[in-house]
Amino acid sequence: MCGIVGIVGNQPVAGRLVDALRRLEYRGYDSAGVATIHDGAMNRRRAKGKLFNLEKVLDDQPLDGAVGIAHTRWATHGVPNEDNAHPHFVEGVAVVHNGIIENFSELKDGLVADGATFTSQTDTEVVAQLIARHIRQGLDNRAAMLAALNEITGAYALVVMFRDDPGTIMAARFGPPLAVGFGRDEMFLGSDAIALSPFTNDIVYLVDGDCAIVHRTGAEIIDFAGNPVERPHQISQATAYMVDKGNHRHFMEKEIYEQPEVISHALSHYVDLASYSIRPDIAGIDFEHLKGLAISACGTAYLSGLVGKYWFERYARLPVEIDVASEFRYRELPLSKDQAALFISQSGETADTLASLRYCKDEGLSIGAVVNVSESTIAREADAVFPILAGPEIGVASTKAFTCQLAVLASLSIAAGRARGRITAEEEREMVRHLSEMPRIMSRVLNSIHDPIEQLSRELSKFRHVLYLGRGTSYPLALEGALKLKEISYIHAEGYAAGELKHGPIALIDETMPVIVIAPHDRFFEKTVSNMQEVAARGGKIIFITDEKGAAASKLETMATIVLPDVAEIIAPMVFSLPIQLLAYHTAVFMGTDVDQPRNLAKSVTVE
Ligand code: F6R
């Protein structure tokens, strides 16, 4: 949701700003821009579309200067074009922004009434106009910045540069993340630590309400009233190599194939392989005395939570209330202190998930966060953090974060089951043994299904509509399969609980709409096969994703059957995620879409 970066340096910065933007491009790629100050002049280059367009512009018209700011955009206000690309200049003020200025319309009316002329449709330009007006009215740069910060409302990370003070960049945070990097005689600002990783790993994360005045030799952090505040330094573990595709065509492909390794790493944090038990020190939530659990998240993270609901209810007899965070935050859900709340987020910055967390915190619940980015706001505001340890996920469509979230939720539900006396030590050992075998099984599956899935994807790419069906924990997988397919291939896809088929969607079935049925040979298998029969009877084409037992038991004719090994119920959702991810991936490759950066999407959704 927009990536921002700034450098107050001692050598030319344009190349390094673009380099940092490359690591932030996953946050948005509608347009990009860079501005520097050189010999008293402030100049910028901007381009619509992906970063390489900006690089081409910079090749033709390079920028000098040892101080600069840059931006990669995910459009909110104003179409993606060059005029709306950041940095926005007003007189001697340059601004880049991630987030939304909620009161921009009334502020803009006031500025226009005062004679201001706007050159873009963005909310961001209002910030530049406000600061410029305060300077015109006699305030110094710092006072003008603070005055503007006290006028705007919304969610923002801002980085501001002043033509008359090339030794200083100012920044502010209220919502979206912002990191200050301390280099040797150079200072950096960025939306995350990975962006800054080749320059420095000495990082200070701003918190909401912080304004940083950054000089070449250090930074002063103040609140919006101008009072100094102290923020701790952290040594970031992020490295630039984390955003390398290796020998894969796309990050998404790399991240799919990384899953056995990263899940194994994640599990080692939660399970003790010597005793086949969940580590006793992971809990952080008093599962034993809980009356209920509220789970909230968005998109794919929400769907991992939905699988978690089945597990917590089944293995721990713990009632779970789950909703997408954009609804949860406004539902005014009655909650009590004997419940806990769990928030799931790869980025740890998703605005709706964070707002739901704050709602539950205000209600006095203990808060758990299942996150990938451990320095994220959601992690920082939780009472207990459950890292998923997936490593940076760069492909916009979530894959390895989903299965690592599942591995963590499976571990937590077993821990909850033990704490609540619903799982015996023997059952725990058995389930943990299955979890520990999972990475090896996943590796085998990835190798064995590559060719059949690629072949099937060629066929699937010819259809315009697809239905996914599943029951039990395969129902959230059906939703996830449909989400993955539509977001990267742009084929219209819907996921349904298999039992819901005859309550409506069956009307759509004909030979033009393949039905992908996810059905391991579990306790629901027979019922799902009955639904498949209903599809077959209406001439529907079935793509059957099942296991060896399931393939042997079903006599139905299918368009294709993908056969996985028979696996234990607790690991089936992770193993069955692999074919649905690969199917979406290869279909998108056949369609020729931009797999890692699908249109209109961004990785980290820091606005409502
Ligand atoms: C889909 C996808 C999104 C995210 C959602 C939540 O492939 O990646 O649906 O899952 O935007 O993001 P996080 O997990 O960062 O809160």
Side-chain angles (χ1 to χ4, degrees), residues 297-302 344-351 353 370 378 393 395-399 401 405 480 483-484 487-488 601-605:
C298 299
T300 289
Y302 162 73
I344 308 168
S345 175
Q346 188 284 127
S347 62
E349 301 293 348
T350 299
T353 310
V370 177
I378 288 176
E393 190 181 63
V396 163
S398 187
T399 51
Q405 285 159 357
E480 172 62 3
L483 175 61
K484 216 85 305 171
E487 71 180 322
I488 59 170
L601 288 171
K603 185 84 186 148
S604 179
V605 184

Side-chain angles (χ1 to χ4, degrees), residues 263-493:
I263 284 202
S264 171
H265 178 58
L267 281 173
S268 66
H269 189 81
Y270 293 92
V271 306
D272 178 356
L273 287 180
S275 59
Y276 284 131
S277 59
I278 302 292
R279 290 188 192 282
D281 49 340
I282 61 153
I285 290 182
D286 177 13
F287 285 117
E288 186 185 347
H289 299 106
L290 277 192
K291 292 278 182 298
L293 184 65
I295 301 182
S296 180
C298 299
T300 289
Y302 162 73
L303 296 175
S304 75
L306 203 48
V307 177
K309 173 187 164 77
Y310 283 85
W311 284 335
F312 281 114
E313 292 184 342
R314 177 154 188 231
Y315 300 130
R317 307 301 295 151
L318 181 60
V320 174
E321 170 69 49
I322 178 164
D323 210 341
V324 289
S326 52
E327 291 300 316
F328 187 105
R329 63 183 291 187
Y330 293 118
R331 265 175 59 192
E332 300 179 33
L333 184 65
L335 293 165
S336 59
K337 294 193 174 55
D338 49 15
Q339 290 172 285
L342 205 55
F343 300 90
I344 308 168
S345 175
Q346 188 284 127
S347 62
E349 301 293 348
T350 299
D352 285 321
T353 310
L354 180 59
S356 303
L357 181 156
R358 288 175 177 162
Y359 172 79
C360 290
K361 210 167 185 175
D362 288 347
E363 297 288 304
L365 272 70
S366 61
I367 308 288
V370 177
V371 290
N372 198 24
V373 181
S374 48
E375 307 90 358
S376 60
T377 313
I378 288 176
R380 281 205 305 268
E381 295 197 10
D383 302 311
V385 178
F386 305 105
I388 65 164
L389 304 166
E393 190 181 63
I394 306 299
V396 163
S398 187
T399 51
K400 63 175 180 170
F402 178 65
T403 47
C404 285
Q405 285 159 357
L406 291 178
V408 172
L409 291 169
S411 306
L412 290 179
S413 63
I414 297 170
R418 281 290 281 148
R420 298 166 71 79
R422 300 292 181 162
I423 289 180
T424 64
E426 184 47 43
E427 285 165 337
E428 176 182 8
R429 258 196 303 280
E430 192 57 12
M431 291 165 101
V432 173
R433 195 176 56 76
H434 291 309
L435 285 176
S436 66
E437 284 168 358
M438 181 168 65
R440 189 177 43 82
I441 295 171
M442 291 176 94
S443 276
R444 236 173 55 212
V445 167
L446 282 169
N447 284 332
S448 69
I449 63 176
H450 176 274
D451 292 351
I453 292 268
E454 200 175 28
Q455 227 174 328
L456 172 60
S457 302
R458 190 186 295 275
E459 283 302 299
L460 197 63
S461 64
K462 296 177 189 148
F463 292 91
R464 296 314 310 140
H465 307 277
V466 179
L467 205 59
Y468 284 73
L469 300 178
R471 268 176 197 265
T473 52
S474 298
Y475 162 50
L477 285 197
L479 297 174
E480 172 62 3
L483 175 61
K484 216 85 305 171
L485 186 70
K486 70 182 129 193
E487 71 180 322
I488 59 170
S489 74
Y490 317 142
I491 294 174
H492 170 230

Side-chain angles (χ1 to χ4, degrees), residues 179-232:
V180 184
F182 290 70
R184 199 176 292 168
D185 202 22
E186 289 191 299
M187 289 289 292
F188 306 91
L189 285 153
S191 294
D192 66 29
I194 297 179
L196 305 184
S197 58
F199 316 138
T200 180
N201 62 357
D202 181 358
I203 299 290
V204 165
Y205 289 98
L206 297 186
V207 305
D208 288 355
D210 281 356
C211 173
I213 321 288
V214 179
H215 306 291
R216 219 175 69 192
T217 51
E220 182 192 352
I221 303 178
I222 54 178
D223 64 20
F224 290 179
N227 305 307
V229 289
E230 289 286 327
R231 301 290 171 225

